[in-house]
Amino acid sequence: MIIQLNKNISKEEKSNITSSLNNISYKTKTVNTQYKNYLIGIGNNDFDIRKIGNMPGVEDIHKVSMDYKLVSRKWRVDDTIIDLGDNISINRNDLTIMAGPCSIESEEHAMNIIEHLEENDIRIMRTMVFKPRSSPYSFRGLGIEGLRTISAECKKRNIKIISEVMEVSQVEAMHDYVDIFQVGTRNTQNFNLLDALGKVDKAVMIKRGISGTIDELLQSAEYVFSNGNEKILLCERGIRSFEKSYRNTFDLNAIPILKDKTHLPVIADPSHSIGIRKHVEKMALAAIMAGADGIITEVHQQPEKAFSDGQQTLNYPEAKRLYFNAREINVLKRNLL
Ligand code: PEP
Ligand code: MN
């Protein structure tokens, strides 16, 4: 059960509501986000919700019985819009495109990408400086220093930054230099990290775990929301299956199903899912038609020389074509669906 509390609720009113819930064997959890105050009731006794709904201090009450509640569309019907400031927002109508290399290799490299993004009116840059790599001998990113310089340049040019955070201690260090924290597939169920990201007022994009179910992804999002942060995006990036002909199994089905189950925006990552450059564009377009609110894709001036994931990274002309076609297909989707 989700109870939205009045902004000016008194201590006494809140304690009366809590006691009434405890009396019917419901445990309660207070959730204060950047926007609203809620009381979550956890229990399974059936009762007339009007009894709680009519109590002083209650603005709104909903029964939501699944494990994830605040991220559920059963409770909030309208799509969530995430405002990144400076007229950049993630919303259902305007396709969000995030692009950039797998990893930032140097400051010059970043500047080159920034120019490319500006030329193509892409407002969110993949700026990965902490890289989770399967091998400890691979390039693991420029670290926080790199992020600091690039962020200053992006601020001047009104480009927002998405960057992967790998551990709790990095949240504070990265905070002032990112607009969206990315939680990578290896950290989808790092609950301490999700708790920490629930305590900041920055957007968080959670990628689906490598063998994670849709409901597990939603529960990860619930961690962030229930810790106080409503600015959450979800990302389908392919899951591991028995098929070895491509990098991961891009679960296109997950996109409309996620849109049914949650009010949060859904982003698709065609680069890490199929993992084959020449097919990235097709899969991006398919994901948009399947209902994705945006895409995140890898791009590099010379993919064959990229420090990581060159095999799935688009060069500039390929990326330009993708941006154009993605925007076209989004118009078609809006008119069709
Ligand atoms: C990435 O987007 O840089 C990345 C490492 O992706 P994933 O966590 O999906 O593998
Ligand atoms: Mn990559």
Side-chain angles (χ1 to χ4, degrees), residues 9 26 28 89 108 115 123 125 154 169 179 183 194 197 200 238 245 247 251-253 282 286 296 299 314 317 330 332:
I9 188 170
Y26 271 64
T28 57
S89 73
E108 301 77 69
E115 300 276 318
R123 310 308 323 169
M125 170 167 163
C154 285
S169 69
D179 301 284
V183 176
L194 298 171
L197 291 168
V200 296
S245 317
R247 186 168 179 175
D251 186 5
L252 277 177
N253 295 338
K282 301 179 200 73
I296 181 163
V299 53
L314 304 178
N330 195 54
L332 184 67

Side-chain angles (χ1 to χ4, degrees), residues 95-108:
L95 181 75
T96 295
I97 305 182
M98 310 183 198
C102 180
S103 49
I104 300 287
E105 297 163 11
S106 67
E107 279 171 32
E108 301 77 69

Side-chain angles (χ1 to χ4, degrees), residues 116-129:
H116 161 82
L117 298 180
E118 269 199 324
E119 253 175 58
N120 291 285
D121 196 26
I122 305 295
R123 310 308 323 169
I124 307 176
M125 170 167 163
R126 272 185 60 98
T127 313
M128 306 304 168
V129 294

